[in-house]
Amino acid sequence: MPGRPTTSFPTRLGRSARLLSHLFLGLYVLAFRYPRLSHAARAAINQRWSAQLIRILGMKVRVLGKAPGLLAHNTLLVANHVSWLDIFALNSVTVSHFVAKRELRRWPVIGWMIKNAGTVFIDRTSRRDASRVNEQLAHSLSQGSCMAVFPEGTTTDGTDLLPFKASLFESARMAGSHVQPVALRYLDEHGRLTTLPAYIDKISLVRSLGRILSMPSGTVELVFGQTLQAHAEEECSRFQLAEAARAEVASGLGLTPPAPAQPRKPTRTPDDLPA
């Protein structure tokens, strides 16, 4: 687990300067280039910008399992949620539009950036808003987009996995989507699990960034589980789909979730079936 910050002040200052420059580059691209680009070109820019952000912060991404590729057609990505860095780590491998709580839209600079990058905002206190977001997600998925949700509904320190909220899994059933579970783990320079990047306990964004900048180096592990297939006409409910996805994420984290009340898993995609 994390100890005291060990990077020098010049190192943190240099990273901060490069990060500020990178943010201004992102703002310029979003404001002047992004609207005129094709979907594939936007995805390529998003992937490169996200990967560079991770590197500037002194971290790297390690992929375990089979990632669905840069452009995953009609795919709902579901992951545990540890940090605001999760979005960029995932986008450095598979580019998605994310569902985020509406409070993020008010964040300075970053709120504007993620809004213009296609983020869908949800009021987690309103069941009616979940229905609206489901329809929006299902439409985007059926048009071939890759969407991403954090079904825990909040962040954790990465050492545990909360129950998955099933509401947004309905969008995958409506669109007949692939559901791709992903487990995120943050490791320190020695390869040990660290909670320093965790965005928890009402910590401010500035303080969270300072903690990440203090790390000499680190790794974000993305463990891609087996892909699940959602079908609206099948007996498998959104609750069973959520439990199956949670089991895959828990396995990637090395955890054992409690057995679901209805354990039948949804159909695997053809690529995941044994020969």
Side-chain angles (χ1 to χ4, degrees):
M1 292 300 166
R4 290 183 176 275
T6 56
T7 53
S8 65
F9 176 74
T11 297
R12 295 195 296 274
L13 186 62
R15 288 179 179 177
S16 298
R18 292 195 299 274
L19 177 62
L20 188 61
S21 174
H22 194 57
L23 287 174
F24 275 116
L25 173 62
L27 287 170
Y28 170 80
V29 170
L30 280 172
F32 299 105
R33 293 186 58 197
Y34 213 67
R36 300 194 300 270
L37 297 175
S38 67
H39 178 64
R42 290 182 182 186
I45 286 179
N46 198 332
Q47 187 272 334
R48 288 196 300 269
W49 192 92
S50 297
Q52 181 64 20
L53 175 68
I54 297 293
R55 287 194 293 270
I56 287 171
L57 294 175
M59 307 188 76
K60 61 182 179 181
V61 174
R62 178 187 300 150
V63 176
L64 302 176
K66 184 179 178 181
L70 181 63
L71 292 171
H73 180 79
N74 191 11
T75 298
L76 183 69
L77 215 63
V78 295
N80 61 307
H81 200 9
V82 179
S83 172
W84 51 271
L85 268 180
D86 298 350
I87 291 175
F88 305 108
L90 288 167
N91 269 346
S92 72
V93 176
T94 299
V95 175
S96 308
H97 295 306
F98 285 79
V99 176
K101 59 183 181 180
R102 64 177 181 176
E103 290 81 3
L104 295 186
R105 186 163 44 186
R106 297 195 293 268
W107 279 15
V109 183
I110 291 180
W112 184 87
M113 291 181 72
I114 62 176
K115 175 180 179 295
N116 284 273
T119 298
V120 177
F121 295 98
I122 184 172
D123 180 0
R124 295 196 180 275
T125 64
S126 170
R127 288 176 179 246
R128 181 177 300 177
D129 202 47
S131 177
R132 173 190 66 82
V133 172
N134 261 324
E135 292 181 2
Q136 190 172 344
L137 287 178
H139 175 74
S140 295
L141 288 167
S142 63
Q143 296 298 308
S145 295
C146 181
M147 310 300 292
V149 298
F150 298 113
E152 290 173 290
T154 187
T155 52
T156 72
D157 66 3
T159 63
D160 200 3
L161 185 65
L162 299 177
F164 278 10
K165 299 181 186 300
S167 58
L168 296 184
F169 283 86
E170 187 63 25
S171 64
R173 296 181 72 247
M174 294 165 64
S177 305
H178 307 294
V179 177
Q180 176 63 68
V182 189
L184 290 106
R185 288 162 34 96
Y186 287 85
L187 309 177
D188 65 14
E189 68 275 19
H190 303 295
R192 301 173 302 196
L193 190 67
T194 178
T195 60
L196 271 177
Y199 192 63
I200 55 174
D201 300 329
K202 298 183 178 179
I203 187 174
S204 69
L205 179 60
V206 172
R207 186 181 173 196
S208 174
L209 178 59
R211 291 175 64 174
I212 293 169
L213 291 171
S214 76
M215 297 175 61
S217 62
T219 300
V220 191
E221 269 193 354
L222 303 181
V223 186
F224 286 84
Q226 294 189 63
T227 306
L228 309 171
Q229 181 66 47
H231 291 296
E233 66 272 12
E234 289 192 357
E235 295 179 5
C236 182
S237 69
R238 66 177 182 271
F239 300 101
Q240 291 172 300
L241 191 59
E243 288 290 352
R246 183 172 182 257
E248 291 292 336
V249 173
S251 177
L253 295 174
L255 303 173
T256 303
Q262 297 172 299
R264 188 176 75 84
K265 281 196 173 186
T267 307
R268 303 285 186 184
T269 60
D271 288 342
D272 296 318
L273 293 175

